[in-house]
Amino acid sequence: MSEDSDLKFNSFVLKITGEVFRSPSTLNRICREIAHLPVKRALVVGGGNLIRGRTADWEKRLLFDRIGLLSTVINGLLLEETLRRYCDPFHLSSLPIPGVVEGYSKEKAEGAFLACRPVIISGGTGNPFFSTDTACALRAVELKVELVMKGTRVKGVYSKDPEKFRNAKFYKELTYERVLRERLEVMDQTALLLLAEAKVPLVVFDIFQEGNIRRILNKEKVGSWIC
Ligand code: UDP
């Protein structure tokens, strides 16, 4: 029996933070891990390595968010190119560019799922004043996936920033209710509310650790699980 027969989920959306694009070897390793998984998978791409709109003054926010949205398309193209070494990805964007990347639709994404192609989703929600976390939740609910994975630089969810506070407490399991009440840094509130309402479980994990994606699909105790 192949090790794939152990997988406990048939579909997921993975949020890939822009931080991953700072390291070509990490990006390549993640692509190798995702390429041949026998499940429906969509990869929502961040752009935070290039620009984050919320770091701008409010008057400049619209401009910075537009640049941020474009940066997710740039990362989407890099992800597409890297995945192409291993499989046949399908890149869709909420901010389409004729001749470069076509517009996202639920139907196109589902068509790619049927062909077992990984779907790259760039361009966030297509709107400023949102984040790729919200795009990730939106696409997860729309595509009715079984799990959302948010890849980060740290092991999961902590009581406070573990990169600043050595005594930060790590949480293995949480409810959406608690995450929202205590405003724990997981995803933005819009994204969390949507996932909570649709009852889609979320796992926050260290994407820089090799093998974690498969461990999560096997329901091993990796990262912080929220439901
Ligand atoms: N962005 C936006 N609307 C969206 C998604 C993203 O305006 O629906 C902009 C926003 O400025 C954001 C930037 O794109 O800061 C990059 O996305 P994000 O910060 O979510 O990337 P990550 O931190 O995950 O790398």
Side-chain angles (χ1 to χ4, degrees):
M1 214 187 262
S2 89
E3 55 178 351
D4 282 338
S5 60
D6 293 337
L7 300 182
K8 305 286 190 295
F9 295 93
N10 290 313
S11 56
F12 66 85
V13 170
L14 169 66
K15 156 78 194 288
I16 302 186
T17 167
E19 299 305 322
V20 161
F21 293 83
R22 294 187 197 279
S23 163
S25 61
T26 303
L27 180 63
N28 188 51
R29 190 261 304 154
I30 292 169
C31 287
R32 264 194 283 111
E33 288 189 33
I34 290 166
H36 298 297
L37 288 171
V39 299
K40 298 172 185 173
R41 56 228 187 276
L43 316 165
V44 172
V45 192
N49 56 316
L50 298 171
I51 194 164
R52 286 197 173 98
R54 60 184 176 276
T55 59
D57 293 339
W58 187 250
E59 308 84 76
K60 290 265 166 63
R61 177 70 188 263
L62 176 63
L63 172 67
F64 276 60
D65 277 345
R66 285 179 173 167
I67 300 172
L69 282 168
L70 284 169
S71 73
T72 71
V73 180
I74 293 170
N75 284 342
L77 290 170
L78 282 169
L79 179 60
E80 182 184 347
E81 180 63 22
T82 313
L83 264 173
R84 209 174 286 291
R85 294 176 192 159
Y86 307 103
C87 61
D88 182 24
F90 191 29
H91 184 182
L92 297 168
S93 182
S94 310
L95 196 70
I97 301 176
V100 178
V101 55
E102 66 180 275
Y104 169 84
S105 81
K106 171 183 180 295
E107 289 71 21
K108 287 186 211 170
E110 285 173 342
F113 278 171
L114 286 178
C116 210
R117 299 173 73 186
V119 180
I120 298 164
I121 303 176
S122 67
T125 62
N127 299 289
F129 307 107
F130 286 98
S131 69
T132 45
D133 282 357
T134 303
C136 179
L138 197 59
R139 301 313 173 212
V141 173
E142 201 170 61
L143 297 168
K144 294 193 172 69
V145 297
E146 295 173 1
L147 181 68
V148 171
M149 296 191 217
K150 176 169 169 166
T152 68
R153 288 196 307 209
V154 294
K155 209 167 85 170
V157 182
Y158 289 80
S159 54
K160 46 193 171 180
D161 186 347
E163 291 179 336
K164 290 191 191 131
F165 301 95
R166 288 180 61 190
N167 63 348
K169 183 176 175 328
F170 173 70
Y171 298 114
K172 278 188 185 163
E173 284 176 359
L174 286 158
T175 60
Y176 279 112
E177 199 258 321
R178 181 169 179 200
V179 169
L180 285 160
R181 182 168 24 91
E182 296 185 17
R183 292 191 160 263
L184 295 172
E185 293 219 1
V186 176
M187 273 189 165
D188 58 60
Q189 300 272 309
T190 319
L192 289 168
L193 281 167
L194 189 57
L195 293 176
E197 195 175 347
K199 298 187 171 56
V200 185
L202 164 68
V203 58
V204 182
F205 71 104
D206 181 359
I207 198 168
F208 290 85
Q209 177 73 48
E210 185 163 1
N212 271 352
I213 294 170
R214 180 173 291 276
R215 285 185 198 104
I216 288 165
L217 293 173
N218 279 328
K219 262 195 176 162
E220 287 175 36
K221 294 279 170 212
V222 169
S224 303
W225 290 73
I226 301 151
C227 56

